[in-house]
Every structure is written in structure tokens, then in C-alpha cells.
Amino acid sequence: MNLAKISANGQITVPVEVRRQLGLKSGDKLLFLQKQNGEIIVSNASATAIRKAQAAFQGVAEEMGINSEEDIQELVNEVRYGRKV
């Protein structure tokens, strides 16, 4: 168990073990989520956003017929130049 003390300004220092587990570095933001049972979960806001984006995009490449890096480059060229290069 790790404890953190709250300063008079409401600031806390996240224990090093917790920072390592969450992959936090200076300047990162923490996300506080309250579950229905009242429990509070703390997570790395950037990592949470990436996981949500990954879940939202899961399967989209296959639906679009993108199966390789070459397919991605062709799509980029179409968007960038308006045609296949």
C-alpha cells in the first residue's frame, strides 16, 4: 500500500512505485474515475485516451481493406495528392 499526503493547496506527491506502475512522467495528467460503488480509480489520462481510441478503431483497417504498410502509404498518398502515386 502506498500513501500520499495532501498539501494545504490540495496537491499530492504520487509515490514512485505508483508512478512506475502507471507509466507517469513529469507533466502527465491523472484521470480520477468514480465507480458506481463509490470506489475511485486513478489512471494515466494519456494511456486511457489511447486505449479508448484503439478500441474505437479496432477492425476499421480490415473493413477498409488495409492489410499492410503499403496499403497505408497508398491511402496517405490519395489523401495528400488526390491520387495514387
Side-chain angles (χ1 to χ4, degrees):
M1 178 184 291
N2 291 290
L3 294 175
K5 184 176 179 181
I6 300 174
S7 75
N9 293 328
Q11 297 173 324
I12 62 169
T13 299
V14 179
V16 68
E17 297 86 10
V18 175
R19 291 195 311 265
R20 285 186 190 135
Q21 287 180 333
L22 294 176
L24 296 171
K25 59 186 180 304
S26 180
D28 283 351
K29 294 182 180 182
L30 293 175
L31 180 63
F32 296 87
L33 301 167
Q34 185 171 12
K35 295 172 69 174
Q36 288 185 350
N37 66 3
E39 182 180 7
I40 303 291
I41 298 173
V42 180
S43 68
N44 181 330
S46 297
T48 299
I50 289 170
R51 282 193 298 275
K52 284 184 179 182
Q54 286 173 329
F57 288 116
Q58 188 171 3
V60 173
E62 291 84 6
E63 290 173 13
M64 294 179 65
I66 298 173
N67 300 306
S68 66
E69 288 185 35
E70 290 79 20
D71 292 341
I72 294 171
Q73 189 59 56
E74 284 181 24
L75 181 60
V76 168
N77 290 339
E78 285 181 40
V79 170
R80 187 176 289 163
Y81 305 114
R83 58 177 162 53
K84 290 187 178 186
V85 176

